[in-house]
Amino acid sequence: MKIERTKKGTEIVSKLDGKNYRITAVFCDEAGKVTEATAAEMIENEGEEVELSTEHIVQITEANALAFRITKDAKPETVVTGFSVVDGNLYQDGRQIEQGQLKVLSVLSSHIGAVLLAVESGDNVALMTYEPDRDYFRKIFVDLSEVPEVLKVSGETCLMAIEHTKEIEAEKDGQKEKKTVFAGTTLILYQNGNHSATVHETSAKYGLTEALYTESPFGLDAWFPCDAVAGEDADPVAYKVRRWTRFALYDAITCKDFVEMNGALHVTWSHAYKCYVLHNDDRLYVDGIVDIKSPLVAKIGDKILIDVNKKEGVYRLTFSDSDYQFVTLVSRKTSDRGLIVTIE
């Protein structure tokens, strides 16, 4: 192994006696280069955690590092930084990374132990990561048509998108001419924890920069507004009502549901009822509970739903802010004039 790959917590095996060791200390010179490491023998006790011997200790230097092989890298603890691309070459803090035949197009996002890259792959683009601790390039996904746009980086995930277009023949003033029209959207979710990417292809034309991102106990969700879908050799076909589509971004990018609602969308998570509460300026929607249309809904703002009381056709929905200031929306159903909505 190379001495520079040793880090505290790295597990190694001796090629001489087959014993397993764990690095317990690493020593560097003034330039930060690893010069020496201390490792303790790992003692496995049945049904118990591995113990580290206090008697069988080895010192590893550049001179004897060849006698050891890494069996398990230490888990990185910090987000890698300092990466840039110049003329297809990857640099970290001004130092060029040896990359062989790879041509790096862009640095997309930085994560714990790895940086996500867009790399040339024939006529296409591949997603790859570079792990500086291991000096290792890992292929994640191939066959993207172009470098994706990064929409959201959150911890160990990176959400990206590509909007596709195509050329069609259109008639204008009796003459045929070529025209570029929207053809679809590709959403890509990279997850650093398991070095994977999932993809969702759709004909929807999302307002990518208008997306909302919310947290639930399950993880991160993205809400994309959609006003149109790709037409067949034509301009996009517009929806009559804006459609907000929710994508779960925890296990894989997954289209969960949608709601039709014009204007700006407010989304909060109700811990009391374990669901999302959605509203704009004149409509409140709580899945499986209520769907109320009234301009008074705007007074809810970003308050959280904490209580729903239903009695004799009257719904009382109470919302609270972080200072426990309540707003109660009351909806009473009548037989002759629909819902009567008031605020308390």
Side-chain angles (χ1 to χ4, degrees):
M1 70 177 187
K2 295 180 179 179
I3 186 69
E4 56 265 28
R5 283 192 59 192
T6 57
K7 290 185 176 294
K8 186 177 180 179
T10 301
E11 295 181 5
I12 60 177
V13 62
S14 169
K15 297 178 184 178
L16 289 177
D17 56 21
K19 292 181 179 179
N20 293 303
Y21 296 83
R22 181 180 293 164
I23 305 294
T24 57
V26 174
F27 305 94
C28 303
D29 61 18
E30 293 181 357
K33 182 181 178 181
V34 177
T35 57
E36 188 177 351
T38 301
E41 184 183 354
M42 299 167 61
I43 303 172
E44 295 187 10
N45 298 316
E46 188 174 349
E48 298 180 13
E49 291 187 3
V50 172
E51 291 183 12
L52 296 182
S53 173
T54 57
E55 298 179 356
H56 299 105
I57 306 295
V58 295
Q59 296 298 124
I60 303 168
T61 64
E62 191 168 359
N64 68 0
L66 184 63
F68 299 89
R69 175 169 51 85
I70 292 176
T71 57
K72 185 177 180 181
D73 283 291
K75 186 176 180 180
E77 298 179 351
T78 59
V79 174
V80 298
T81 59
F83 285 93
S84 60
V85 176
V86 179
D87 296 330
N89 298 308
L90 182 66
Y91 290 80
Q92 184 180 24
D93 297 325
R95 178 180 65 87
Q96 186 172 347
I97 305 299
E98 187 178 299
Q99 62 193 61
Q101 294 179 308
L102 297 177
K103 181 178 180 180
V104 181
L105 302 175
S106 177
V107 173
L108 298 172
S109 58
S110 294
H111 303 274
I112 294 176
V115 60
L116 181 64
L117 308 169
V119 178
E120 187 174 270
S121 178
D123 294 331
N124 297 320
V125 174
L127 296 182
M128 298 186 73
T129 56
Y130 175 68
E131 301 169 40
D133 285 353
R134 300 179 60 201
D135 188 25
Y136 182 71
F137 286 90
R138 183 193 301 268
K139 187 172 288 187
I140 303 296
F141 189 82
V142 295
D143 294 337
L144 293 178
S145 60
E146 60 187 83
V147 176
E149 175 188 358
V150 175
L151 303 179
K152 177 77 170 178
V153 178
S154 178
E156 293 295 86
T157 65
C158 177
L159 178 64
M160 299 159 281
I162 298 172
E163 279 197 334
H164 304 282
T165 59
K166 63 181 179 181
E167 277 196 346
I168 63 170
E169 277 197 348
E171 192 169 303
K172 183 178 180 182
D173 299 329
Q175 300 291 323
K176 285 188 176 181
E177 59 180 29
K178 287 190 175 182
K179 180 180 180 180
T180 301
V181 296
F182 170 78
T185 304
T186 300
L187 296 174
I188 310 110
L189 179 69
Y190 168 70
Q191 294 174 303
N192 191 53
N194 54 13
H195 306 290
S196 67
T198 51
V199 173
H200 179 84
E201 303 278 359
T202 176
S203 61
K205 184 172 175 57
Y206 293 126
L208 298 176
T209 59
E210 299 176 72
L212 299 177
Y213 298 93
T214 58
E215 289 277 357
S216 78
F218 305 103
L220 184 68
D221 289 294
W223 302 78
F224 287 106
C226 179
D227 296 313
V229 293
E232 187 174 342
D233 293 332
D235 287 321
V237 180
Y239 286 130
K240 292 182 179 179
V241 180
R242 170 170 273 198
R243 176 178 291 192
W244 290 86
T245 304
R246 177 170 72 99
F247 286 91
L249 305 180
Y250 14 103
D251 296 326
I253 186 163
T254 308
C255 183
K256 288 293 188 179
D257 47 34
F258 70 89
V259 61
E260 293 182 331
M261 196 174 288
N262 283 324
L265 183 69
H266 293 263
V267 183
T268 56
W269 176 263
S270 173
H271 293 277
Y273 294 93
K274 296 179 174 55
C275 66
Y276 277 115
V277 177
L278 316 175
H279 77 86
N280 58 6
D281 288 340
D282 60 7
R283 182 188 174 200
L284 169 68
Y285 178 75
V286 186
D287 188 28
I289 299 179
V290 295
D291 189 349
I292 298 172
K293 294 182 179 180
S294 168
L296 293 176
V297 165
K299 295 185 178 294
I300 296 171
D302 291 323
K303 293 180 172 63
I304 307 297
L305 178 66
I306 61 170
D307 187 69
V308 177
N309 183 282
K310 181 185 179 184
K311 186 177 181 180
E312 298 177 353
V314 178
Y315 275 95
R316 297 172 60 84
L317 295 93
T318 301
F319 299 80
S320 176
D321 61 19
S322 58
D323 295 323
Y324 302 103
Q325 300 297 309
F326 296 168
V327 168
T328 299
L329 188 76
V330 181
S331 173
R332 179 164 60 90
K333 187 176 182 179
T334 65
S335 60
D336 61 339
R337 65 200 71 187
L339 295 179
I340 296 176
V341 181
T342 57
I343 286 282
E344 293 181 355

